[in-house]
Amino acid sequence: MFDLHRLRLLRELKHRGTLAAVAAALSYSPSSVSQQLSQLEREVGVQLLEPVGRRVRLTAQAEILVDHVEAVLERLERAEAELAGSLAEVSGTLRIASFQTAALALLPTALSLVREAHPNLRVHLTQAEPEEALPALLTHDFDMVLSEEYPGSPIPRPAELEQEDLCVDPVRLAHPALDASHTPREALRSLAGSPWVMEPEGTPARHRAITLCRDAGFEPDVRFESSDLLLHLRLAERGHAAAMLPDLLWHGTGPTLPLHPLPEGRHCRKLITAVRRGGSHHPAVRAFRKALHEAVAECTPARG
């Protein structure tokens, strides 16, 4: 019989990449993690790790073993959900990660709804971008992640996760000089000579924005980079930059500058909730997803 604790360490190494990262996440020393994995190799009877420079990587046999560990952990997630579901009250702790606009627009309302319906449920919230939060969900740093997906830039959907669509959020062109009579393509081309504010390189939002501009026939002059969409809004309001802003940024208030639709097929992002496979039926997850849908219904859409 293999030791489950050591099997978890092997799985953590696959997802975190280094012994040092595993040790830091679990409050162990790297030597302790290495010793535990060496012991697992002796139990299994095959080599699980091989050196690559100063690091190690999983062997093909270790990958096979981790696949089975994932299945075991999924059953444990289901067992935890069933145990929690057998209780009269929803309680415990739910750790959530969310990107900025969803955290600002939806989380306060969702938290109020959950507090009223389930006062014994403790919710921890961390603001984190999907690129960082989804891998952390796999390594059990979070229990639920609010993520986003842009047209043409689908997010990875690992088999170890269960993802559910939450809502569609329109994204609009924003600048004080926009002409409402223009078509979406004309409006975008009219800002070809303007400075732009965009999210950092490598993000799906940046990729989508650059693609839209190039499809309209120009290369945008990106002078400002930030993942903070409130900064995008402030720069656009003052005329310092053109921006592409999601409706959730207004969360119940009216727009503060002219907005214009983006070209059809590229004008919306999708909001998604993700949990580990087996966790969808946990009462805390169900309760918070329900609260999020109610929060979406309460949001007043922006008017372009």
Side-chain angles (χ1 to χ4, degrees):
M1 184 66 69
F2 302 147
D3 182 272
L4 182 57
H5 170 68
R6 297 186 185 109
L7 291 171
R8 282 179 180 268
L9 290 178
L10 186 66
R11 176 189 179 276
E12 290 289 324
L13 180 57
K14 175 180 178 178
H15 289 296
R16 296 189 186 273
T18 66
L19 293 172
V22 174
L26 302 180
S27 300
Y28 294 147
S29 68
S31 61
S32 175
V33 173
S34 180
Q35 290 169 9
Q36 292 291 315
L37 292 176
S38 295
Q39 178 62 31
L40 180 62
E41 280 189 328
R42 290 191 288 272
E43 292 175 357
V44 175
V46 297
Q47 183 180 359
L48 299 176
L49 305 177
E50 54 188 7
V52 179
R54 294 187 174 184
R55 304 176 65 174
V56 295
R57 69 182 175 195
L58 275 63
T59 63
Q61 292 70 35
E63 294 283 357
I64 292 171
L65 193 54
V66 167
D67 286 343
H68 287 281
V69 175
E70 298 287 6
V72 170
L73 293 179
E74 179 185 342
R75 290 299 300 269
L76 291 176
E77 290 277 356
R78 294 183 185 277
E80 182 181 348
E82 289 183 19
L83 285 172
S86 70
L87 301 176
E89 296 184 3
V90 179
S91 59
T93 299
L94 184 68
R95 300 163 301 163
I96 297 173
S98 173
F99 61 97
Q100 185 194 46
T101 46
L104 288 171
L106 303 178
L107 269 297
T109 299
L111 288 168
S112 296
L113 292 168
V114 167
R115 181 179 59 190
E116 181 179 350
H118 309 289
N120 292 322
L121 177 60
R122 181 185 179 94
V123 179
H124 286 190
L125 171 63
T126 300
Q127 183 179 316
E129 295 302 311
E131 308 87 64
E132 158 188 8
L134 288 172
L137 178 62
L138 284 171
T139 54
H140 290 245
D141 293 334
F142 303 116
D143 302 308
M144 179 188 291
V145 167
L146 271 73
S147 182
E148 59 181 344
E149 186 173 75
Y150 286 90
S153 300
I155 62 173
R157 299 203 174 212
E160 300 90 347
L161 298 182
E162 296 175 345
Q163 305 193 56
E164 178 180 288
D165 292 349
L166 176 61
C167 66
V168 171
D169 185 25
V171 179
R172 305 173 196 261
L173 189 62
H175 193 276
L178 282 172
D179 186 337
S181 67
H182 283 169
T183 67
R185 183 178 175 84
E186 288 171 343
L188 188 55
R189 286 179 60 87
S190 73
L191 298 175
S194 299
W196 284 80
V197 56
M198 292 186 181
E199 296 197 40
E201 289 189 14
T203 61
R206 175 66 168 266
H207 173 76
R208 188 264 335 222
I210 292 291
T211 301
L212 276 171
C213 293
R214 289 174 177 170
D215 287 349
F218 69 94
E219 188 71 20
D221 176 12
V222 183
R223 298 191 196 176
F224 310 100
E225 293 188 14
S226 174
S227 58
D228 185 344
L229 293 188
L230 292 178
L231 175 59
H232 291 215
L233 172 59
R234 298 294 175 258
L235 291 171
E237 284 175 333
R238 298 294 183 89
H240 294 301
M244 298 182 190
L245 301 178
D247 278 8
L248 273 185
L249 194 61
W250 314 110
H251 60 283
T253 66
T256 56
L257 77 168
L259 300 175
H260 203 290
L262 289 169
E264 193 67 27
R266 302 286 186 88
H267 64 290
C268 290
R269 64 174 178 175
K270 184 186 296 182
L271 272 61
I272 298 164
T273 58
V275 298
R276 287 182 297 278
R277 186 161 296 280
S280 288
H281 298 294
H282 196 288
V285 169
R286 291 205 309 266
F288 208 85
R289 276 181 164 167
K290 178 176 181 292
L292 284 170
H293 281 284
E294 293 179 15
V296 168
E298 289 187 20
C299 273
T300 302
R303 302 298 178 190

